């Protein structure tokens, strides 16, 4: 019954967001662009909250750090439920600061010498800044553990009606066993629907703060944002980047977010590129090319 429920939910999400024929040219352009590429590419675009265009939209892809976005949403819900402001502090213990992972926050704290004092306290918004803007792995795990783990995030996602986005493991788990990266998965349609929902429906002060962090994201500037830099579009996004596989291929290079165009159109977009046979620059260029196609077919 659970499998049937998820399948029906996915169909309903797609049906609710789709209008046959309206964006056939966009669908064709995306299919032509991705056809024959030496990578597994999944795309979903939801335009103005109602029209969906997808390529491999219901296939599972590893999220990597894109999963920090639903974790941030779950933290926002926890703070709203408990009436807490985003400047309410979160405890950081020395054992939270793993040195063998990507963490600008840890580098800053270690350089200050504060790690050798008692428990540190950092405002939630500052932790979210490291986690969203810089994709800090230790900051993400501190937030996730403060929510009692991945189960809290998944319960929250199901509560707001999102199936297909799976949060199973921490960053530390994934660094200890890279195969666990594949369990933190999503379909492009599920992620695009989550972002679309967040963009349209979540406008409380905490959600607006998270949107501000997404709109000033400092990672993945050669991906979704690249073709939009010279326009008046507003983009809020979260990137994800995987490990190099033993055969030299890239596990995953991802980007997902929302775009507001100057003419009033808006769309959410999720692009997942896994098992890429290209180098990082060329794989990021694929995402930028997809972003440009979408932009040119909607404006």
């Amino acid at each position: 019954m659970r499998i049937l429920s998820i399948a029906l939910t996915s169909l309903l999400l797609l049906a609710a967001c789709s209008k046959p024929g309206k964006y056939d040219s966009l669908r064709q352009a995306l299919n032509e662009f991705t056809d024959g590429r030496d990578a597994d590419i999944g795309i979903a675009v939801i335009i103005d909250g109602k029209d969906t265009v997808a390529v491999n939209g219901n296939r599972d892809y590893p999220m990597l750090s894109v999963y920090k976005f639903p974790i941030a949403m779950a933290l926002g819900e926890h703070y709203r439920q408990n009436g807490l402001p985003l400047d309410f502090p979160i405890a950081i213990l020395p054992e939270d600061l793993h040195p063998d992972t990507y963490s600008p926050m840890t580098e800053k704290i270690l350089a200050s010498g504060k790690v050798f004092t008692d428990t540190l306290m950092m405002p939630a918004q500052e932790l979210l800044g490291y986690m969203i803007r810089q994709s800090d792995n230790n900051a993400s795990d501190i937030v996730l553990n403060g929510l009692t783990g991945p189960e809290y995030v998944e319960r929250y996602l199901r509560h707001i009606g999102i199936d297909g986005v799976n949060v199973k493991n921490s960053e530390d788990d994934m660094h200890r066993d890279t195969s666990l990266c594949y369990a933190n998965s999503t379909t492009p349609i599920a992620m695009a629907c989550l972002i679309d929902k967040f963009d349209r429906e979540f406008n409380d002060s905490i959600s607006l703060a998270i949107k501000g962090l997404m709109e000033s994201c400092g990672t993945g500037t050669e991906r979704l944002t690249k073709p939009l830099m010279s326009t008046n579009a507003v983009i809020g996004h979260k990137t994800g980047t995987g490990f190099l596989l033993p055969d030299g291929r890239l596990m995953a290079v991802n980007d997902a977010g929302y775009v507001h165009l100057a003419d009033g159109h808006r769309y959410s977009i999720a692009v997942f590129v896994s098992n890429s046979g290209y180098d990082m620059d060329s794989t990021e260029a694929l995402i930028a090319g997809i972003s440009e196609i979408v932009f040119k077919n909607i404006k």
Side-chain angles (χ1 to χ4, degrees):
M1 289 299 293
R2 175 65 175 163
I3 295 172
L4 178 59
S5 174
I6 292 173
L8 288 173
T9 301
S10 298
L11 288 171
L12 288 171
L13 283 170
L14 183 57
C17 297
S18 298
K19 194 170 185 178
K22 186 173 183 181
Y23 288 102
D24 281 350
S25 60
L26 172 58
R27 184 176 291 103
Q28 181 178 347
L30 291 175
N31 275 300
E32 290 175 355
F33 182 82
T34 57
D35 186 46
R37 301 288 185 177
D38 187 18
D40 183 0
I41 303 173
I43 307 165
V45 185
I46 300 176
I47 305 150
D48 295 326
K50 57 187 177 181
D51 298 301
T52 297
V53 176
V55 176
N56 297 322
N58 286 307
R59 185 177 297 177
D60 282 321
Y61 291 86
M63 286 189 284
L64 283 306
S65 286
V66 171
Y67 99 135
K68 292 168 183 169
F69 163 63
I71 293 173
M73 285 188 68
L75 179 71
E77 177 67 6
H78 176 73
Y79 270 47
R80 281 190 297 271
Q81 285 185 345
N82 290 279
L84 300 173
L86 270 185
D87 60 2
F88 190 85
I90 293 176
I92 302 175
L93 301 175
E95 55 263 35
D96 294 327
L97 303 177
H98 303 288
D100 58 344
T101 191
Y102 178 73
S103 179
M105 177 192 71
T106 299
E107 292 177 7
K108 184 176 180 179
I109 293 174
L110 291 176
S112 73
K114 290 181 181 179
V115 70
F116 301 110
T117 67
D118 293 333
T119 301
L120 299 174
M121 304 297 290
M122 184 177 289
Q125 186 157 357
E126 188 173 350
L127 270 169
L128 284 173
Y130 279 115
M131 176 175 145
I132 298 296
R133 297 185 72 250
Q134 299 186 61
S135 206
D136 191 296
N137 293 334
N138 285 337
S140 178
D141 278 358
I142 290 165
V143 170
L144 185 64
N145 293 334
L147 294 171
T148 68
E151 298 82 3
Y152 181 96
V153 181
E154 281 210 339
R155 286 197 304 271
Y156 169 67
L157 292 171
R158 305 304 175 251
H159 174 72
I160 62 173
I162 299 295
D163 281 310
V165 179
N166 305 298
V167 178
K168 302 294 185 184
N169 302 292
S170 68
E171 288 285 353
D172 188 47
D173 292 332
M174 290 186 284
H175 278 79
R176 291 173 186 273
D177 181 354
T178 58
S179 69
L180 296 177
C181 295
Y182 294 97
N184 286 339
S185 66
T186 187
T187 67
I189 287 176
M191 180 55 65
C193 282
L194 177 62
I195 292 173
D196 176 72
K197 185 178 187 71
F198 178 68
D199 184 31
R200 290 187 298 108
E201 300 178 14
F202 286 71
N203 293 298
D204 59 280
S205 61
I206 292 175
S207 296
L208 291 175
I210 294 172
K211 289 177 181 180
L213 295 172
M214 294 175 70
E215 290 168 17
S216 57
C217 178
T219 62
T221 56
E222 297 296 306
R223 301 180 194 180
L224 289 178
T225 60
K226 185 174 183 180
L228 304 176
M229 287 179 178
S230 61
T231 74
N232 292 321
V234 173
I235 177 169
H237 68 122
K238 183 70 197 78
T239 59
T241 305
F243 300 94
L244 197 65
L245 297 171
D247 61 1
R249 301 174 76 87
L250 286 169
M251 175 188 285
V253 181
N254 308 324
D255 205 354
Y258 57 83
V259 177
H260 296 176
L261 301 181
D263 64 3
H265 283 301
R266 49 166 296 280
Y267 58 91
S268 64
I269 177 170
V271 182
F272 295 90
V273 183
S274 68
N275 196 34
S276 174
Y278 307 107
D279 63 17
M280 179 61 71
D281 289 347
S282 298
T283 305
E284 289 190 312
L286 287 176
I287 298 177
I290 290 164
S291 180
E292 183 173 18
I293 289 169
V294 173
F295 172 71
K296 287 182 175 180
N297 279 270
I298 293 177
K299 67 173 184 173

